[in-house]
Amino acid sequence: MSSVTVLEKAQELQNTARSISESQKERDDQERVLRRIDEVRTALQAAVMHQQTAVLLRERTGQDLGVSGLDTARAKLESKSRGGLPADRAFVEAKRALESFTSELSTALRQLWKTWAAARIQEVSPARFVTLGLDERREATELYESMKAKASRPKVDSASILTFCSDRDTLLTLLQHAPAETPQGLLELINRLDEGGVTLRELADTDIAMLREFDQDNWYTVTRKAN
């Protein structure tokens, strides 16, 4: 075997090794990029979800939160992706920016939602429920408790906002014809009547007048005792 032939074989082997090495590097780079893309995608999904919640909160309550940080994070990754596959640093910075945006927006959402929802709950007086019929009173109580549960959740999401607002609208509809201010005497009278066993003789003229004044007389039926 001539020295030239050996040299040629050695060159071929070197070229083959280089090709394998480069192919492996390309595969490694592709796998690296795919892993980083998955990481950024997960962070982006969380950021988008919080952004959508903030938009819904603004639409339903008028409370506005800035969401420009999401576009900034996207633009940063796009600017470093021109001309080829982004380096690890570009992915890491984009992921960090998205996570920071999500964390800050999540905190702001909780604070704003808690304040707004608590104010809406305080606008409703449970004492007014007693002036409703039994079924409506039960429904009003359930709606009120549902609102309090949604307002106290540690995590704010679109479903909580939608349910809270729907419960509030339904509750306000139920209370449309209920007295805005319920006198203590009326509350005591209604509770007394609801316990049962009250005869017409035991009702004073002022009791009946108060029931009529506050549109409560239609909830009660007078019947004659068998004995």
Side-chain angles (χ1 to χ4, degrees), residues 46 49-54 56-58 61 65 102 105-117 149-162 164:
M49 182 185 69
H50 281 74
Q51 182 191 44
Q52 291 172 343
T53 302
L56 178 64
L57 183 66
R58 182 186 63 207
T61 71
L65 288 171
T102 302
L105 184 56
S106 177
T107 299
L109 275 170
R110 284 197 304 271
Q111 294 174 345
L112 194 60
W113 170 250
K114 185 176 181 179
T115 301
W116 184 86
K150 300 297 183 299
S152 62
R153 280 187 175 180
K155 181 180 178 181
V156 184
D157 54 32
S158 297
S160 296
I161 296 173
L162 289 172
F164 181 96

PDB file of all heavy atoms in Angstrom, residues 46 49-54 56-58 61 65 102 105-117 149-162 164:
ATOM      1  N   ALA A  46     -48.551  30.744  30.098  1.00  0.00           N
ATOM      2  CA  ALA A  46     -48.944  31.299  31.403  1.00  0.00           C
ATOM      3  C   ALA A  46     -49.116  32.810  31.319  1.00  0.00           C
ATOM      4  O   ALA A  46     -50.055  33.379  31.880  1.00  0.00           O
ATOM      5  CB  ALA A  46     -47.894  30.943  32.454  1.00  0.00           C
ATOM      6  N   MET A  49     -52.335  33.654  29.395  1.00  0.00           N
ATOM      7  CA  MET A  49     -53.512  33.385  30.224  1.00  0.00           C
ATOM      8  C   MET A  49     -53.761  34.538  31.195  1.00  0.00           C
ATOM      9  O   MET A  49     -54.898  34.989  31.369  1.00  0.00           O
ATOM     10  CB  MET A  49     -53.322  32.083  30.994  1.00  0.00           C
ATOM     11  CG  MET A  49     -54.520  31.690  31.854  1.00  0.00           C
ATOM     12  SD  MET A  49     -54.218  30.238  32.860  1.00  0.00           S
ATOM     13  CE  MET A  49     -53.017  30.909  34.029  1.00  0.00           C
ATOM     14  N   HIS A  50     -52.699  35.022  31.837  1.00  0.00           N
ATOM     15  CA  HIS A  50     -52.844  36.139  32.770  1.00  0.00           C
ATOM     16  C   HIS A  50     -53.224  37.428  32.029  1.00  0.00           C
ATOM     17  O   HIS A  50     -53.990  38.244  32.552  1.00  0.00           O
ATOM     18  CB  HIS A  50     -51.549  36.344  33.554  1.00  0.00           C
ATOM     19  CG  HIS A  50     -51.374  35.380  34.683  1.00  0.00           C
ATOM     20  ND1 HIS A  50     -51.038  34.070  34.482  1.00  0.00           N
ATOM     21  CD2 HIS A  50     -51.509  35.533  36.031  1.00  0.00           C
ATOM     22  CE1 HIS A  50     -50.972  33.452  35.657  1.00  0.00           C
ATOM     23  NE2 HIS A  50     -51.261  34.316  36.597  1.00  0.00           N
ATOM     24  N   GLN A  51     -52.682  37.600  30.841  1.00  0.00           N
ATOM     25  CA  GLN A  51     -53.044  38.779  30.046  1.00  0.00           C
ATOM     26  C   GLN A  51     -54.529  38.753  29.700  1.00  0.00           C
ATOM     27  O   GLN A  51     -55.226  39.777  29.802  1.00  0.00           O
ATOM     28  CB  GLN A  51     -52.218  38.826  28.766  1.00  0.00           C
ATOM     29  CG  GLN A  51     -52.500  40.064  27.907  1.00  0.00           C
ATOM     30  CD  GLN A  51     -51.879  39.970  26.527  1.00  0.00           C
ATOM     31  OE1 GLN A  51     -51.951  38.932  25.880  1.00  0.00           O
ATOM     32  NE2 GLN A  51     -51.257  41.047  26.083  1.00  0.00           N
ATOM     33  N   GLN A  52     -55.035  37.599  29.305  1.00  0.00           N
ATOM     34  CA  GLN A  52     -56.449  37.468  28.972  1.00  0.00           C
ATOM     35  C   GLN A  52     -57.330  37.737  30.195  1.00  0.00           C
ATOM     36  O   GLN A  52     -58.393  38.343  30.080  1.00  0.00           O
ATOM     37  CB  GLN A  52     -56.717  36.070  28.414  1.00  0.00           C
ATOM     38  CG  GLN A  52     -56.091  35.829  27.051  1.00  0.00           C
ATOM     39  CD  GLN A  52     -56.202  34.378  26.593  1.00  0.00           C
ATOM     40  OE1 GLN A  52     -56.458  33.467  27.401  1.00  0.00           O
ATOM     41  NE2 GLN A  52     -56.015  34.142  25.314  1.00  0.00           N
ATOM     42  N   THR A  53     -56.876  37.284  31.359  1.00  0.00           N
ATOM     43  CA  THR A  53     -57.619  37.537  32.596  1.00  0.00           C
ATOM     44  C   THR A  53     -57.669  39.031  32.886  1.00  0.00           C
ATOM     45  O   THR A  53     -58.701  39.571  33.288  1.00  0.00           O
ATOM     46  CB  THR A  53     -56.966  36.797  33.781  1.00  0.00           C
ATOM     47  OG1 THR A  53     -56.929  35.392  33.501  1.00  0.00           O
ATOM     48  CG2 THR A  53     -57.756  37.032  35.061  1.00  0.00           C
ATOM     49  N   ALA A  54     -56.534  39.710  32.666  1.00  0.00           N
ATOM     50  CA  ALA A  54     -56.481  41.155  32.900  1.00  0.00           C
ATOM     51  C   ALA A  54     -57.402  41.903  31.948  1.00  0.00           C
ATOM     52  O   ALA A  54     -58.079  42.873  32.339  1.00  0.00           O
ATOM     53  CB  ALA A  54     -55.045  41.653  32.737  1.00  0.00           C
ATOM     54  N   LEU A  56     -60.142  40.661  30.545  1.00  0.00           N
ATOM     55  CA  LEU A  56     -61.508  40.377  30.977  1.00  0.00           C
ATOM     56  C   LEU A  56     -61.882  41.206  32.205  1.00  0.00           C
ATOM     57  O   LEU A  56     -63.005  41.718  32.306  1.00  0.00           O
ATOM     58  CB  LEU A  56     -61.665  38.884  31.295  1.00  0.00           C
ATOM     59  CG  LEU A  56     -63.037  38.446  31.802  1.00  0.00           C
ATOM     60  CD1 LEU A  56     -64.103  38.666  30.730  1.00  0.00           C
ATOM     61  CD2 LEU A  56     -63.012  36.982  32.236  1.00  0.00           C
ATOM     62  N   LEU A  57     -60.945  41.339  33.124  1.00  0.00           N
ATOM     63  CA  LEU A  57     -61.193  42.139  34.323  1.00  0.00           C
ATOM     64  C   LEU A  57     -61.501  43.582  33.954  1.00  0.00           C
ATOM     65  O   LEU A  57     -62.405  44.203  34.520  1.00  0.00           O
ATOM     66  CB  LEU A  57     -59.973  42.087  35.247  1.00  0.00           C
ATOM     67  CG  LEU A  57     -60.102  42.833  36.581  1.00  0.00           C
ATOM     68  CD1 LEU A  57     -61.161  42.170  37.451  1.00  0.00           C
ATOM     69  CD2 LEU A  57     -58.767  42.869  37.315  1.00  0.00           C
ATOM     70  N   ARG A  58     -60.768  44.114  32.997  1.00  0.00           N
ATOM     71  CA  ARG A  58     -61.019  45.486  32.542  1.00  0.00           C
ATOM     72  C   ARG A  58     -62.393  45.605  31.900  1.00  0.00           C
ATOM     73  O   ARG A  58     -63.133  46.563  32.143  1.00  0.00           O
ATOM     74  CB  ARG A  58     -59.945  45.899  31.537  1.00  0.00           C
ATOM     75  CG  ARG A  58     -60.085  47.344  31.032  1.00  0.00           C
ATOM     76  CD  ARG A  58     -59.087  47.612  29.937  1.00  0.00           C
ATOM     77  NE  ARG A  58     -59.346  46.753  28.794  1.00  0.00           N
ATOM     78  CZ  ARG A  58     -58.409  46.369  27.921  1.00  0.00           C
ATOM     79  NH1 ARG A  58     -57.158  46.733  28.073  1.00  0.00           N
ATOM     80  NH2 ARG A  58     -58.728  45.586  26.901  1.00  0.00           N
ATOM     81  N   THR A  61     -65.095  45.073  34.855  1.00  0.00           N
ATOM     82  CA  THR A  61     -65.051  45.929  36.041  1.00  0.00           C
ATOM     83  C   THR A  61     -64.563  47.338  35.774  1.00  0.00           C
ATOM     84  O   THR A  61     -64.706  48.209  36.626  1.00  0.00           O
ATOM     85  CB  THR A  61     -64.135  45.301  37.111  1.00  0.00           C
ATOM     86  OG1 THR A  61     -62.762  45.398  36.684  1.00  0.00           O
ATOM     87  CG2 THR A  61     -64.478  43.835  37.345  1.00  0.00           C
ATOM     88  N   LEU A  65     -55.154  47.145  33.918  1.00  0.00           N
ATOM     89  CA  LEU A  65     -53.792  46.766  34.284  1.00  0.00           C
ATOM     90  C   LEU A  65     -52.933  46.769  33.027  1.00  0.00           C
ATOM     91  O   LEU A  65     -53.368  46.341  31.956  1.00  0.00           O
ATOM     92  CB  LEU A  65     -53.772  45.354  34.900  1.00  0.00           C
ATOM     93  CG  LEU A  65     -54.344  45.211  36.311  1.00  0.00           C
ATOM     94  CD1 LEU A  65     -54.466  43.744  36.682  1.00  0.00           C
ATOM     95  CD2 LEU A  65     -53.463  45.916  37.321  1.00  0.00           C
ATOM     96  N   THR A 102     -45.467  37.603  34.213  1.00  0.00           N
ATOM     97  CA  THR A 102     -46.569  36.810  34.765  1.00  0.00           C
ATOM     98  C   THR A 102     -46.681  36.985  36.270  1.00  0.00           C
ATOM     99  O   THR A 102     -47.783  37.139  36.818  1.00  0.00           O
ATOM    100  CB  THR A 102     -46.378  35.317  34.433  1.00  0.00           C
ATOM    101  OG1 THR A 102     -46.310  35.149  33.010  1.00  0.00           O
ATOM    102  CG2 THR A 102     -47.525  34.479  34.978  1.00  0.00           C
ATOM    103  N   LEU A 105     -47.968  40.553  37.078  1.00  0.00           N
ATOM    104  CA  LEU A 105     -49.366  40.710  36.694  1.00  0.00           C
ATOM    105  C   LEU A 105     -50.273  39.902  37.619  1.00  0.00           C
ATOM    106  O   LEU A 105     -51.357  40.343  37.989  1.00  0.00           O
ATOM    107  CB  LEU A 105     -49.576  40.275  35.241  1.00  0.00           C
ATOM    108  CG  LEU A 105     -50.984  40.472  34.665  1.00  0.00           C
ATOM    109  CD1 LEU A 105     -51.412  41.926  34.794  1.00  0.00           C
ATOM    110  CD2 LEU A 105     -51.035  40.024  33.213  1.00  0.00           C
ATOM    111  N   SER A 106     -49.822  38.713  38.013  1.00  0.00           N
ATOM    112  CA  SER A 106     -50.596  37.872  38.926  1.00  0.00           C
ATOM    113  C   SER A 106     -50.816  38.577  40.262  1.00  0.00           C
ATOM    114  O   SER A 106     -51.928  38.575  40.806  1.00  0.00           O
ATOM    115  CB  SER A 106     -49.878  36.536  39.149  1.00  0.00           C
ATOM    116  OG  SER A 106     -50.577  35.739  40.075  1.00  0.00           O
ATOM    117  N   THR A 107     -49.769  39.195  40.783  1.00  0.00           N
ATOM    118  CA  THR A 107     -49.877  39.923  42.048  1.00  0.00           C
ATOM    119  C   THR A 107     -50.828  41.114  41.915  1.00  0.00           C
ATOM    120  O   THR A 107     -51.689  41.343  42.780  1.00  0.00           O
ATOM    121  CB  THR A 107     -48.500  40.424  42.495  1.00  0.00           C
ATOM    122  OG1 THR A 107     -47.625  39.292  42.686  1.00  0.00           O
ATOM    123  CG2 THR A 107     -48.592  41.204  43.789  1.00  0.00           C
ATOM    124  N   ALA A 108     -50.688  41.856  40.825  1.00  0.00           N
ATOM    125  CA  ALA A 108     -51.551  43.015  40.601  1.00  0.00           C
ATOM    126  C   ALA A 108     -53.006  42.589  40.423  1.00  0.00           C
ATOM    127  O   ALA A 108     -53.930  43.247  40.920  1.00  0.00           O
ATOM    128  CB  ALA A 108     -51.081  43.789  39.370  1.00  0.00           C
ATOM    129  N   LEU A 109     -53.221  41.471  39.734  1.00  0.00           N
ATOM    130  CA  LEU A 109     -54.574  40.955  39.540  1.00  0.00           C
ATOM    131  C   LEU A 109     -55.230  40.606  40.870  1.00  0.00           C
ATOM    132  O   LEU A 109     -56.388  40.962  41.116  1.00  0.00           O
ATOM    133  CB  LEU A 109     -54.536  39.709  38.645  1.00  0.00           C
ATOM    134  CG  LEU A 109     -54.540  39.921  37.127  1.00  0.00           C
ATOM    135  CD1 LEU A 109     -54.253  38.613  36.409  1.00  0.00           C
ATOM    136  CD2 LEU A 109     -55.877  40.489  36.668  1.00  0.00           C
ATOM    137  N   ARG A 110     -54.492  39.914  41.725  1.00  0.00           N
ATOM    138  CA  ARG A 110     -55.041  39.510  43.021  1.00  0.00           C
ATOM    139  C   ARG A 110     -55.440  40.723  43.850  1.00  0.00           C
ATOM    140  O   ARG A 110     -56.527  40.766  44.445  1.00  0.00           O
ATOM    141  CB  ARG A 110     -54.025  38.665  43.796  1.00  0.00           C
ATOM    142  CG  ARG A 110     -53.888  37.238  43.314  1.00  0.00           C
ATOM    143  CD  ARG A 110     -53.209  36.368  44.358  1.00  0.00           C
ATOM    144  NE  ARG A 110     -51.911  36.893  44.756  1.00  0.00           N
ATOM    145  CZ  ARG A 110     -50.764  36.597  44.149  1.00  0.00           C
ATOM    146  NH1 ARG A 110     -50.767  35.789  43.104  1.00  0.00           N
ATOM    147  NH2 ARG A 110     -49.626  37.098  44.581  1.00  0.00           N
ATOM    148  N   GLN A 111     -54.560  41.709  43.891  1.00  0.00           N
ATOM    149  CA  GLN A 111     -54.829  42.903  44.702  1.00  0.00           C
ATOM    150  C   GLN A 111     -56.026  43.686  44.169  1.00  0.00           C
ATOM    151  O   GLN A 111     -56.913  44.098  44.935  1.00  0.00           O
ATOM    152  CB  GLN A 111     -53.576  43.785  44.743  1.00  0.00           C
ATOM    153  CG  GLN A 111     -52.402  43.150  45.473  1.00  0.00           C
ATOM    154  CD  GLN A 111     -51.135  43.978  45.360  1.00  0.00           C
ATOM    155  OE1 GLN A 111     -51.034  44.882  44.531  1.00  0.00           O
ATOM    156  NE2 GLN A 111     -50.149  43.662  46.180  1.00  0.00           N
ATOM    157  N   LEU A 112     -56.042  43.891  42.874  1.00  0.00           N
ATOM    158  CA  LEU A 112     -57.117  44.670  42.262  1.00  0.00           C
ATOM    159  C   LEU A 112     -58.452  43.928  42.369  1.00  0.00           C
ATOM    160  O   LEU A 112     -59.485  44.526  42.708  1.00  0.00           O
ATOM    161  CB  LEU A 112     -56.795  44.936  40.789  1.00  0.00           C
ATOM    162  CG  LEU A 112     -57.635  46.000  40.077  1.00  0.00           C
ATOM    163  CD1 LEU A 112     -57.485  47.342  40.762  1.00  0.00           C
ATOM    164  CD2 LEU A 112     -57.219  46.110  38.619  1.00  0.00           C
ATOM    165  N   TRP A 113     -58.432  42.635  42.110  1.00  0.00           N
ATOM    166  CA  TRP A 113     -59.650  41.840  42.166  1.00  0.00           C
ATOM    167  C   TRP A 113     -60.206  41.796  43.583  1.00  0.00           C
ATOM    168  O   TRP A 113     -61.408  41.942  43.790  1.00  0.00           O
ATOM    169  CB  TRP A 113     -59.376  40.430  41.665  1.00  0.00           C
ATOM    170  CG  TRP A 113     -60.503  39.474  41.910  1.00  0.00           C
ATOM    171  CD1 TRP A 113     -60.540  38.435  42.785  1.00  0.00           C
ATOM    172  CD2 TRP A 113     -61.789  39.487  41.274  1.00  0.00           C
ATOM    173  NE1 TRP A 113     -61.750  37.790  42.744  1.00  0.00           N
ATOM    174  CE2 TRP A 113     -62.539  38.419  41.823  1.00  0.00           C
ATOM    175  CE3 TRP A 113     -62.375  40.299  40.311  1.00  0.00           C
ATOM    176  CZ2 TRP A 113     -63.837  38.149  41.420  1.00  0.00           C
ATOM    177  CZ3 TRP A 113     -63.679  40.016  39.907  1.00  0.00           C
ATOM    178  CH2 TRP A 113     -64.386  38.952  40.468  1.00  0.00           C
ATOM    179  N   LYS A 114     -59.332  41.580  44.555  1.00  0.00           N
ATOM    180  CA  LYS A 114     -59.779  41.490  45.945  1.00  0.00           C
ATOM    181  C   LYS A 114     -60.451  42.787  46.388  1.00  0.00           C
ATOM    182  O   LYS A 114     -61.508  42.766  47.032  1.00  0.00           O
ATOM    183  CB  LYS A 114     -58.594  41.181  46.856  1.00  0.00           C
ATOM    184  CG  LYS A 114     -58.963  40.948  48.303  1.00  0.00           C
ATOM    185  CD  LYS A 114     -57.747  40.547  49.127  1.00  0.00           C
ATOM    186  CE  LYS A 114     -58.146  40.289  50.581  1.00  0.00           C
ATOM    187  NZ  LYS A 114     -56.979  39.881  51.397  1.00  0.00           N
ATOM    188  N   THR A 115     -59.856  43.917  46.016  1.00  0.00           N
ATOM    189  CA  THR A 115     -60.410  45.217  46.397  1.00  0.00           C
ATOM    190  C   THR A 115     -61.754  45.463  45.722  1.00  0.00           C
ATOM    191  O   THR A 115     -62.733  45.863  46.362  1.00  0.00           O
ATOM    192  CB  THR A 115     -59.432  46.347  46.030  1.00  0.00           C
ATOM    193  OG1 THR A 115     -58.193  46.137  46.711  1.00  0.00           O
ATOM    194  CG2 THR A 115     -59.988  47.700  46.415  1.00  0.00           C
ATOM    195  N   TRP A 116     -61.817  45.205  44.410  1.00  0.00           N
ATOM    196  CA  TRP A 116     -63.048  45.459  43.657  1.00  0.00           C
ATOM    197  C   TRP A 116     -64.162  44.528  44.101  1.00  0.00           C
ATOM    198  O   TRP A 116     -65.306  44.958  44.338  1.00  0.00           O
ATOM    199  CB  TRP A 116     -62.784  45.289  42.161  1.00  0.00           C
ATOM    200  CG  TRP A 116     -63.983  45.617  41.310  1.00  0.00           C
ATOM    201  CD1 TRP A 116     -64.354  46.844  40.849  1.00  0.00           C
ATOM    202  CD2 TRP A 116     -64.986  44.696  40.856  1.00  0.00           C
ATOM    203  NE1 TRP A 116     -65.523  46.741  40.121  1.00  0.00           N
ATOM    204  CE2 TRP A 116     -65.921  45.443  40.106  1.00  0.00           C
ATOM    205  CE3 TRP A 116     -65.155  43.320  40.992  1.00  0.00           C
ATOM    206  CZ2 TRP A 116     -67.026  44.849  39.503  1.00  0.00           C
ATOM    207  CZ3 TRP A 116     -66.270  42.728  40.399  1.00  0.00           C
ATOM    208  CH2 TRP A 116     -67.197  43.493  39.661  1.00  0.00           C
ATOM    209  N   ALA A 117     -63.867  43.236  44.212  1.00  0.00           N
ATOM    210  CA  ALA A 117     -64.891  42.255  44.579  1.00  0.00           C
ATOM    211  C   ALA A 117     -65.415  42.507  45.996  1.00  0.00           C
ATOM    212  O   ALA A 117     -66.620  42.394  46.249  1.00  0.00           O
ATOM    213  CB  ALA A 117     -64.329  40.840  44.462  1.00  0.00           C
ATOM    214  N   ALA A 149     -66.838  33.451  48.061  1.00  0.00           N
ATOM    215  CA  ALA A 149     -65.843  32.417  47.771  1.00  0.00           C
ATOM    216  C   ALA A 149     -64.963  32.821  46.596  1.00  0.00           C
ATOM    217  O   ALA A 149     -63.732  32.647  46.626  1.00  0.00           O
ATOM    218  CB  ALA A 149     -66.542  31.090  47.482  1.00  0.00           C
ATOM    219  N   LYS A 150     -65.574  33.380  45.562  1.00  0.00           N
ATOM    220  CA  LYS A 150     -64.794  33.799  44.383  1.00  0.00           C
ATOM    221  C   LYS A 150     -63.872  34.967  44.727  1.00  0.00           C
ATOM    222  O   LYS A 150     -62.752  35.055  44.232  1.00  0.00           O
ATOM    223  CB  LYS A 150     -65.740  34.220  43.256  1.00  0.00           C
ATOM    224  CG  LYS A 150     -66.681  33.138  42.771  1.00  0.00           C
ATOM    225  CD  LYS A 150     -65.936  31.972  42.174  1.00  0.00           C
ATOM    226  CE  LYS A 150     -66.904  30.933  41.615  1.00  0.00           C
ATOM    227  NZ  LYS A 150     -67.803  30.341  42.626  1.00  0.00           N
ATOM    228  N   ALA A 151     -64.340  35.848  45.593  1.00  0.00           N
ATOM    229  CA  ALA A 151     -63.541  37.021  45.957  1.00  0.00           C
ATOM    230  C   ALA A 151     -62.333  36.657  46.799  1.00  0.00           C
ATOM    231  O   ALA A 151     -61.322  37.363  46.771  1.00  0.00           O
ATOM    232  CB  ALA A 151     -64.416  38.026  46.709  1.00  0.00           C
ATOM    233  N   SER A 152     -62.414  35.567  47.535  1.00  0.00           N
ATOM    234  CA  SER A 152     -61.330  35.201  48.451  1.00  0.00           C
ATOM    235  C   SER A 152     -60.349  34.198  47.859  1.00  0.00           C
ATOM    236  O   SER A 152     -59.401  33.790  48.526  1.00  0.00           O
ATOM    237  CB  SER A 152     -61.917  34.626  49.749  1.00  0.00           C
ATOM    238  OG  SER A 152     -62.652  33.444  49.475  1.00  0.00           O
ATOM    239  N   ARG A 153     -60.561  33.787  46.626  1.00  0.00           N
ATOM    240  CA  ARG A 153     -59.642  32.824  46.012  1.00  0.00           C
ATOM    241  C   ARG A 153     -58.243  33.430  45.871  1.00  0.00           C
ATOM    242  O   ARG A 153     -58.097  34.587  45.460  1.00  0.00           O
ATOM    243  CB  ARG A 153     -60.146  32.404  44.632  1.00  0.00           C
ATOM    244  CG  ARG A 153     -61.239  31.344  44.673  1.00  0.00           C
ATOM    245  CD  ARG A 153     -61.563  30.859  43.274  1.00  0.00           C
ATOM    246  NE  ARG A 153     -62.525  29.778  43.309  1.00  0.00           N
ATOM    247  CZ  ARG A 153     -62.988  29.177  42.226  1.00  0.00           C
ATOM    248  NH1 ARG A 153     -62.578  29.570  41.024  1.00  0.00           N
ATOM    249  NH2 ARG A 153     -63.860  28.194  42.332  1.00  0.00           N
ATOM    250  N   PRO A 154     -57.208  32.632  46.197  1.00  0.00           N
ATOM    251  CA  PRO A 154     -55.842  33.158  46.089  1.00  0.00           C
ATOM    252  C   PRO A 154     -55.404  33.384  44.639  1.00  0.00           C
ATOM    253  O   PRO A 154     -54.526  34.193  44.371  1.00  0.00           O
ATOM    254  CB  PRO A 154     -54.989  32.066  46.752  1.00  0.00           C
ATOM    255  CG  PRO A 154     -55.808  30.816  46.635  1.00  0.00           C
ATOM    256  CD  PRO A 154     -57.228  31.263  46.746  1.00  0.00           C
ATOM    257  N   LYS A 155     -56.036  32.680  43.713  1.00  0.00           N
ATOM    258  CA  LYS A 155     -55.683  32.817  42.302  1.00  0.00           C
ATOM    259  C   LYS A 155     -56.874  33.364  41.527  1.00  0.00           C
ATOM    260  O   LYS A 155     -57.992  32.855  41.648  1.00  0.00           O
ATOM    261  CB  LYS A 155     -55.280  31.457  41.719  1.00  0.00           C
ATOM    262  CG  LYS A 155     -54.878  31.514  40.253  1.00  0.00           C
ATOM    263  CD  LYS A 155     -54.499  30.132  39.757  1.00  0.00           C
ATOM    264  CE  LYS A 155     -54.131  30.165  38.268  1.00  0.00           C
ATOM    265  NZ  LYS A 155     -53.788  28.818  37.746  1.00  0.00           N
ATOM    266  N   VAL A 156     -56.636  34.396  40.757  1.00  0.00           N
ATOM    267  CA  VAL A 156     -57.700  35.009  39.963  1.00  0.00           C
ATOM    268  C   VAL A 156     -57.658  34.447  38.549  1.00  0.00           C
ATOM    269  O   VAL A 156     -56.603  34.445  37.918  1.00  0.00           O
ATOM    270  CB  VAL A 156     -57.535  36.546  39.902  1.00  0.00           C
ATOM    271  CG1 VAL A 156     -58.712  37.168  39.163  1.00  0.00           C
ATOM    272  CG2 VAL A 156     -57.409  37.129  41.289  1.00  0.00           C
ATOM    273  N   ASP A 157     -58.787  33.970  38.074  1.00  0.00           N
ATOM    274  CA  ASP A 157     -58.849  33.490  36.701  1.00  0.00           C
ATOM    275  C   ASP A 157     -60.137  33.978  36.046  1.00  0.00           C
ATOM    276  O   ASP A 157     -61.014  34.536  36.702  1.00  0.00           O
ATOM    277  CB  ASP A 157     -58.747  31.961  36.629  1.00  0.00           C
ATOM    278  CG  ASP A 157     -59.787  31.259  37.503  1.00  0.00           C
ATOM    279  OD1 ASP A 157     -60.891  31.816  37.661  1.00  0.00           O
ATOM    280  OD2 ASP A 157     -59.494  30.177  38.028  1.00  0.00           O
ATOM    281  N   SER A 158     -60.227  33.754  34.755  1.00  0.00           N
ATOM    282  CA  SER A 158     -61.377  34.256  33.998  1.00  0.00           C
ATOM    283  C   SER A 158     -62.685  33.659  34.496  1.00  0.00           C
ATOM    284  O   SER A 158     -63.706  34.347  34.578  1.00  0.00           O
ATOM    285  CB  SER A 158     -61.195  33.950  32.504  1.00  0.00           C
ATOM    286  OG  SER A 158     -60.055  34.618  31.990  1.00  0.00           O
ATOM    287  N   ALA A 159     -62.667  32.364  34.846  1.00  0.00           N
ATOM    288  CA  ALA A 159     -63.887  31.695  35.304  1.00  0.00           C
ATOM    289  C   ALA A 159     -64.413  32.338  36.582  1.00  0.00           C
ATOM    290  O   ALA A 159     -65.631  32.530  36.737  1.00  0.00           O
ATOM    291  CB  ALA A 159     -63.615  30.205  35.519  1.00  0.00           C
ATOM    292  N   SER A 160     -63.516  32.673  37.498  1.00  0.00           N
ATOM    293  CA  SER A 160     -63.937  33.295  38.761  1.00  0.00           C
ATOM    294  C   SER A 160     -64.589  34.653  38.511  1.00  0.00           C
ATOM    295  O   SER A 160     -65.606  34.989  39.121  1.00  0.00           O
ATOM    296  CB  SER A 160     -62.733  33.463  39.693  1.00  0.00           C
ATOM    297  OG  SER A 160     -62.196  32.215  40.061  1.00  0.00           O
ATOM    298  N   ILE A 161     -63.986  35.436  37.624  1.00  0.00           N
ATOM    299  CA  ILE A 161     -64.524  36.762  37.317  1.00  0.00           C
ATOM    300  C   ILE A 161     -65.907  36.649  36.679  1.00  0.00           C
ATOM    301  O   ILE A 161     -66.853  37.347  37.064  1.00  0.00           O
ATOM    302  CB  ILE A 161     -63.562  37.531  36.386  1.00  0.00           C
ATOM    303  CG1 ILE A 161     -62.228  37.787  37.093  1.00  0.00           C
ATOM    304  CG2 ILE A 161     -64.192  38.846  35.930  1.00  0.00           C
ATOM    305  CD1 ILE A 161     -61.167  38.387  36.196  1.00  0.00           C
ATOM    306  N   LEU A 162     -66.035  35.745  35.699  1.00  0.00           N
ATOM    307  CA  LEU A 162     -67.310  35.586  35.001  1.00  0.00           C
ATOM    308  C   LEU A 162     -68.400  35.101  35.948  1.00  0.00           C
ATOM    309  O   LEU A 162     -69.538  35.608  35.930  1.00  0.00           O
ATOM    310  CB  LEU A 162     -67.141  34.599  33.835  1.00  0.00           C
ATOM    311  CG  LEU A 162     -66.322  35.101  32.638  1.00  0.00           C
ATOM    312  CD1 LEU A 162     -66.068  33.968  31.666  1.00  0.00           C
ATOM    313  CD2 LEU A 162     -67.031  36.253  31.942  1.00  0.00           C
ATOM    314  N   PHE A 164     -68.501  35.354  39.275  1.00  0.00           N
ATOM    315  CA  PHE A 164     -68.790  36.400  40.263  1.00  0.00           C
ATOM    316  C   PHE A 164     -69.744  37.439  39.682  1.00  0.00           C
ATOM    317  O   PHE A 164     -70.745  37.802  40.313  1.00  0.00           O
ATOM    318  CB  PHE A 164     -67.495  37.061  40.710  1.00  0.00           C
ATOM    319  CG  PHE A 164     -67.671  38.138  41.743  1.00  0.00           C
ATOM    320  CD1 PHE A 164     -67.510  37.850  43.092  1.00  0.00           C
ATOM    321  CD2 PHE A 164     -67.993  39.439  41.389  1.00  0.00           C
ATOM    322  CE1 PHE A 164     -67.673  38.839  44.060  1.00  0.00           C
ATOM    323  CE2 PHE A 164     -68.166  40.432  42.330  1.00  0.00           C
ATOM    324  CZ  PHE A 164     -67.996  40.129  43.680  1.00  0.00           C
TER     325      PHE A 164
END
